[in-house]
Amino acid sequence: MEAELVALAGSGASTLVGLMVSDGWEQVRRRIARLLARDGDVPSAEAELERARDGVVAARDDGDEEAESDYVEEWTPRLRRLLRRDPDAGRQLLALLAELGGAAPSQSAGSVHNTISGGVQHGPVFQGRDFFGGLTFNGPPAPGPAPERDG
């Protein structure tokens, strides 16, 4: 069950941060605030969401993908704690993700096994399960094939 909570919290956080910079944010902000404010303090939850949104928008405007992904990392454990405390919140989050077209977890979280084979790799190799934000590599170009010799 813990793996499913982790996966759902990660999907929820990723969708939440993506929504913050979308045109649909105003329509979903209050619904997300109600989900987060299980004790009924919706205005405080809305204010917290707006502060986070300001940070996400600033990160996006600055092209700071790392800062933007930090918000996903910040919201993931918060959602996980909410889901642990209140099982009904999990059902509501799943329904909200499905309705908004968010990435509801399709497989349980677990270990990842990666293998590289087939010779020498002359470039970056990504190994992992979930990648958030963009990835940029700045380095020398990969070597090309060896020149043919007459002989």
Side-chain angles (χ1 to χ4, degrees), residues 46-127:
E46 282 185 312
E48 183 178 14
L49 286 167
E50 281 306 305
R51 282 190 298 275
R53 180 184 183 275
D54 290 343
V56 172
V57 168
R60 176 77 55 102
D61 289 346
D62 293 341
D64 190 348
E65 294 169 356
E66 187 175 319
E68 191 174 336
S69 69
D70 286 346
Y71 283 95
V72 174
E73 291 176 21
E74 176 186 332
W75 282 98
T76 298
R78 296 176 74 182
L79 289 176
R80 188 177 59 240
R81 286 189 300 271
L82 170 68
L83 299 175
R84 280 186 188 139
R85 281 193 319 266
D86 186 351
D88 189 51
R91 288 185 286 279
Q92 291 178 7
L93 181 56
L94 273 172
L96 187 60
L97 288 174
E99 181 181 330
L100 298 173
S106 59
Q107 52 181 265
S108 63
S111 63
V112 174
H113 176 79
N114 296 299
T115 303
I116 298 175
S117 63
V120 177
Q121 306 300 317
H122 293 286
V125 176
F126 301 96
Q127 289 189 305

Side-chain angles (χ1 to χ4, degrees), residues 130-145:
D130 299 315
F131 296 94
F132 298 102
L135 300 172
T136 304
F137 287 88
N138 298 318

Side-chain angles (χ1 to χ4, degrees), residues 31-46:
R31 292 178 62 197
I32 293 170
R34 282 195 309 264
L35 176 68
L36 295 172
R38 306 305 283 173
D39 62 357
D41 191 4
V42 175
S44 291
E46 282 185 312

